[in-house]
Amino acid sequence: MTMFWLQVSTLVLVNVLIASMLFVRPARAQHGGAGGGALSVWQLIDEVEAERRRQVEATGRHHLRTDP
């Protein structure tokens, strides 16, 4: 009879754990509070692309190539 209650209590505890994970939201997301000057991913990608274009224009992409 003891084994029955052990199994029932384990099943109840597992169900409570699953329900708490599904229905209880965390108080605040880990990276949710970005400041006013924070950049989005697309803004960062645009900045990197602009920097690459500036480097290509400054040094010349084909500067070291020699014609056969």
Side-chain angles (χ1 to χ4, degrees):
M1 190 69 172
T2 304
M3 190 62 140
F4 170 76
W5 289 113
L6 182 62
Q7 290 173 344
V8 169
S9 63
T10 303
L11 180 65
V12 168
L13 287 175
V14 169
N15 286 331
V16 168
L17 177 65
I18 291 171
S20 68
M21 291 172 67
L22 290 174
F23 298 117
V24 177
R25 299 279 182 193
R28 181 174 169 244
Q30 185 176 2
H31 300 289
L39 298 175
S40 70
V41 173
W42 298 112
Q43 290 170 325
L44 291 172
I45 290 172
D46 289 340
E47 283 187 13
V48 169
E49 290 298 322
E51 183 178 342
R52 284 183 184 166
R53 275 188 241 112
R54 283 192 301 269
Q55 288 176 353
V56 167
E57 291 170 1
T59 60
R61 180 178 227 175
H62 304 289
H63 180 71
L64 298 176
R65 273 194 184 171
T66 58
D67 292 331

